[in-house]
Amino acid sequence: MTNAPAGSTAEEKDTLRASLDRHRDAVLWKLDGLDDEQLRRPMTPTGTTLLGLVKHLASVEYGWFVETFGGEVEPLWFDPYESEDMRIAPDETTDRIVAFYGRARAAADRMIADLPLDALGRPSWRDQSVSLRWTLVHVITETARHAGHMDILRELIDGATGAHRPAAG
């Protein structure tokens, strides 16, 4: 028998959560060992940074999982509809952004735990309702996509690659 990844024999919601957590953890790993300048360094012509992607993913989790399903979102100090969630202001520290992502993940996790997969929510920015199941798949895809972007940015910064932390050896 092969070693199955965590969540591969679990119920549907647990499997989806395991997939989301795997990509969330990869996002945070891409920050490990870099200094503030490297995390804020624009690496594309549009100014994409590692820290900006983390800020964006935090606002994605709050928006899709919390706001959509009627939860309380902490007051945002930026406007995600003006792409301010992708930019890091000079007064935004790495610790502040990483903590914001942690709070967004925790709030999203509470909503996921409390709702059935067929629960419906309505994003304020869309004209249709979505199920929690659809939202989980959507946010997994979004997080994986941006984790891939972060993979490339990290490789350009210091050559580090991979989807997971290397095993201690």
Side-chain angles (χ1 to χ4, degrees):
M1 182 168 180
T2 61
N3 289 335
S8 63
T9 59
E11 293 297 320
E12 182 182 10
K13 187 191 269 190
D14 294 332
T15 300
L16 292 168
R17 273 290 312 281
S19 178
L20 179 59
D21 282 342
R22 187 171 53 254
H23 297 302
R24 287 166 158 177
D25 292 345
V27 163
L28 291 175
W29 173 61
K30 293 300 167 184
L31 308 180
D32 279 0
L34 297 179
D35 63 30
D36 196 55
E37 183 280 324
Q38 291 168 314
L39 294 171
R40 295 168 169 276
R41 185 184 304 164
M43 299 301 296
T44 68
T46 59
T48 304
T49 69
L50 288 170
L51 205 53
L53 287 167
V54 175
K55 183 179 175 185
H56 170 69
L57 287 169
S59 94
V60 164
E61 294 231 8
Y62 265 132
W64 279 109
F65 288 122
V66 183
E67 179 186 340
T68 293
F69 292 95
E72 190 170 328
V73 176
E74 70 177 81
L76 301 180
W77 65 94
F78 57 87
D79 185 350
Y81 301 106
E82 295 296 324
S83 297
E84 292 176 9
D85 61 334
M86 291 289 286
R87 294 188 298 272
I88 300 299
D91 65 331
E92 293 177 316
T93 66
T94 297
D95 288 344
R96 181 180 188 189
I97 299 303
V98 171
F100 174 56
Y101 187 52
R103 292 189 307 277
R105 282 179 65 166
D109 286 346
R110 286 189 296 276
M111 296 301 286
I112 295 165
D114 290 348
L115 296 170
L117 287 173
D118 60 353
L120 294 178
R122 178 128 183 195
S124 62
W125 61 92
R126 296 191 82 155
D127 292 334
Q128 62 189 21
S129 295
V130 294
S131 70
L132 178 61
R133 177 181 290 104
W134 182 92
T135 303
L136 272 160
V137 171
H138 176 73
V139 175
I140 289 166
T141 303
E142 176 96 355
T143 304
R145 178 174 165 250
H146 289 312
H149 295 145
M150 293 176 78
D151 240 353
I152 294 165
L153 299 183
R154 179 67 189 251
E155 184 176 2
L156 290 170
I157 290 169
D158 72 352
T161 62
H164 306 285
R165 287 182 175 88

